[in-house]
């Protein structure tokens, strides 16, 4: 089931899940940083669906479509129903696996990329990137990085893309925070005010910072209770000034 849930990111962003699938995926999303990155990435791509190129359709297209609508059967012709036992057996035989349902949704969405809107026809091709949002920030053309070293020899590195309005925190070699404690990242504005940017996942790794990084003057790292704090309760382990 877990593997199937990983495949639902695109359908979730496009609101193509039923209520049960959405509830299952949102529970999974709360504990899966990879899927959260993928959902963020898809949300950046989704607005591109509006960037279409309009062409002038044949003059008779609208009239032909409306004429076909008036003469096309909307429901299939009635057929004799199977016996109750046979009907139950057929229902069991046609249950579609979750992954296959998701695949069909993507096929349907791809087919719907060619739209007839009003008097014009629009055609689109949307290319899905295989990179997570974190990877996109690090690889951005305008990405800049700053780093600092902690007292115990660990490193804290910030990479920010102003065009994307996002930043990535990468830590290496931090000391273990101890039981019931964790590292928390903070955005510091020009006045020195700190705003939480999320809990750091461990002593080695990277995360996408939360909040408005475009106006941040620095990024701080403090040791806090495992659940996080509303404001820093200890001196910064590291403070990275952003250019």
């Amino acid at each position: 089931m877990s593997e199937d849930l990983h495949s639902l990111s695109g359908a979730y962003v496009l609101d193509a899940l039923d209520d049960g699938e959405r509830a299952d995926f949102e529970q999974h999303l709360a504990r899966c940083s990879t899927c959260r990155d993928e959902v963020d990435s898809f949300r950046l791509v989704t607005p591109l669906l509006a960037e279409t190129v309009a062409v002038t359709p044949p003059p008779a297209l609208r009239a032909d479509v409306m004429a076909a609508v008036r003469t096309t059967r909307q429901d299939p012709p009635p057929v004799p129903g199977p016996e109750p036992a046979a009907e139950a057996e057929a229902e069991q035989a046609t249950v579609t696996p979750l992954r296959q349902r998701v695949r069909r949704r993507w096929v349907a969405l791809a087919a719907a990329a060619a739209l007839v809107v009003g008097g014009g026809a629009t055609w689109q091709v949307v290319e899905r990137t295989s990179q997570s949002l974190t990877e996109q920030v690090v690889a951005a053309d305008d990405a800049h990085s700053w780093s600092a070293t902690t007292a115990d020899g660990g490193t804290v590195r910030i990479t920010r893309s102003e065009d994307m309005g996002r930043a990535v925190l990468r830590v290496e070699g931090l000391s273990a925070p101890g039981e019931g404690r964790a590292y928390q990242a903070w955005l510091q504005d020009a006045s020195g005010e700190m705003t939480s940017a999320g809990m750091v996942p461990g002593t080695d790794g990277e995360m996408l910072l939360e909040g408005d990084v475009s106006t941040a003057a620095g990024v701080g790292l403090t040791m806090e209770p495992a659940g996080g704090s509303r404001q820093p309760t200890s001196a910064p382990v590291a403070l990275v000034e952003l250019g």
Side-chain angles (χ1 to χ4, degrees):
M1 185 63 179
S2 177
E3 183 180 354
D4 286 332
L5 287 172
H6 283 299
S7 70
L8 293 178
S9 299
Y12 174 76
V13 171
L14 294 177
D15 198 23
L17 301 179
D18 61 35
D19 292 342
E21 291 169 346
R22 173 175 291 275
D24 288 344
F25 182 73
E26 287 179 343
Q27 290 182 9
H28 168 75
L29 195 64
R31 57 180 182 269
C32 180
S33 59
T34 300
C35 285
R36 288 198 299 271
D37 280 355
E38 191 167 54
V39 165
D40 286 342
S41 176
F42 282 141
R43 281 175 174 157
L44 287 179
V45 174
T46 302
L48 298 179
L49 294 172
E51 297 179 3
T52 59
V53 179
V55 296
T56 304
L61 176 61
R62 183 178 178 82
D64 290 346
V65 170
M66 297 308 294
V69 168
R70 288 193 294 270
T71 59
T72 300
R73 179 191 292 272
Q74 301 302 306
D75 296 316
V79 295
E83 294 296 326
E87 184 176 356
E89 182 178 349
E91 183 177 348
Q92 292 179 354
T94 57
V95 172
T96 306
L98 180 61
R99 183 177 296 277
Q100 187 174 344
R101 296 204 301 271
V102 173
R103 185 179 300 115
R104 280 210 305 270
R105 286 196 184 95
W106 278 106
V107 171
L109 289 168
L115 305 173
V116 177
V117 182
T122 59
W123 300 85
Q124 288 183 311
V125 176
V126 178
E127 180 180 358
R128 174 189 170 184
T129 176
S130 60
Q131 289 183 313
S132 69
L133 184 55
T134 298
E135 293 169 329
Q136 292 177 52
V137 172
V138 173
D141 291 338
D142 70 325
H144 288 82
S145 297
W146 302 266
S147 61
T149 303
T150 65
D152 56 5
T155 59
V156 179
R157 184 180 181 86
I158 307 297
T159 302
R160 179 173 67 181
S161 166
E162 294 195 17
D163 286 348
M164 296 180 67
R166 305 304 295 264
V168 171
L169 165 72
R170 181 170 184 80
V171 296
E172 295 180 358
L174 299 182
S175 60
E179 186 176 357
R181 306 283 287 176
Y183 290 104
Q184 186 168 356
W186 305 88
L187 298 181
Q188 184 184 56
D189 63 20
S191 69
E193 184 73 18
M194 292 284 199
T195 304
S196 177
M199 303 303 295
V200 180
T203 58
D204 292 275
E206 62 185 12
M207 61 178 284
L208 196 66
L209 293 176
E210 302 169 5
D212 183 10
V213 300
S214 62
T215 59
V219 175
L221 201 67
T222 63
M223 197 177 296
E224 304 293 337
S229 303
R230 295 178 64 87
Q231 289 294 320
T233 62
S234 63
V237 174
L239 183 59
V240 183
E241 294 184 4
L242 307 182

